[in-house]
């Protein structure tokens, strides 16, 4: 499961609904797989721009605290605690965000 998928999952149990919260599902990772970033292996500038555009456009709809929680549960401590407008415009950050969202997989 990708962190992007985890970010949109919610706890829809009766207990969560009664507390008026649909908090994210908790990750207990025993095995993860990190694929090589596609931007790094691609010499196609159009592909690189599509990935940056994807990250930039998905950023406003991400639940950042949930993403941080999932990333930490998978042993990734490199994400900033909050996203500033400067970071949201930084291509290096957007490439790294795309990598975290699309290239890191929870296997077990």
């Amino acid at each position: 499961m990708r962190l992007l998928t985890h970010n949109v999952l919610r706890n829809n149990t009766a207990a969560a609904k009664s507390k008026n919260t649909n908090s994210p599902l908790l990750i207990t990772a025993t095995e993860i797989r990190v694929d090589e970033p596609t931007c790094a292996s691609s010499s196609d500038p159009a592909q690189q721009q599509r990935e940056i555009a994807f990250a930039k456009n998905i950023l406003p709809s991400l639940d950042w605290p949930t993403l941080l929680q999932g990333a930490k549960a998978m042993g990734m401590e490199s994400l900033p605690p909050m996203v500033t407008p400067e970071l949201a415009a930084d291509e290096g950050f957007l490439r790294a965000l795309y990598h975290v969202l699309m290239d890191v997989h929870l296997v077990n």
Side-chain angles (χ1 to χ4, degrees):
M1 172 174 63
R2 290 182 168 117
L3 281 173
L4 178 60
T5 305
H6 173 260
N7 198 262
V8 297
L9 292 174
R10 295 291 175 260
N11 184 350
N12 289 324
T13 63
K17 288 181 180 180
S18 70
K19 294 178 187 174
N20 200 20
T21 179
N22 58 345
S23 59
L25 301 173
L26 295 177
I27 291 178
T28 305
T30 57
E31 182 182 353
I32 64 167
R33 184 183 84 228
V34 181
D35 296 338
E36 182 179 332
T38 50
C39 263
S41 63
S42 174
S43 60
D44 181 11
Q47 175 66 23
Q48 293 176 5
Q49 288 306 310
R50 280 191 296 273
E51 292 175 5
I52 291 168
F54 174 83
K56 191 174 197 172
N57 290 324
I58 198 75
L59 188 57
S61 61
L62 290 175
D63 181 347
W64 195 256
T66 298
L67 183 61
L68 287 176
Q69 173 203 18
K72 285 182 183 179
M74 293 172 76
M76 301 172 54
E77 304 276 341
S78 61
L79 292 175
M82 61 185 301
V83 179
T84 62
E86 293 81 21
L87 269 179
D90 181 72
E91 283 193 10
F93 169 74
L94 293 171
R95 281 190 195 106
L97 178 61
Y98 182 88
H99 173 65
V100 167
L101 292 174
M102 303 304 288
D103 297 330
V104 178
H105 305 271
L106 176 64
V107 176
N108 196 1

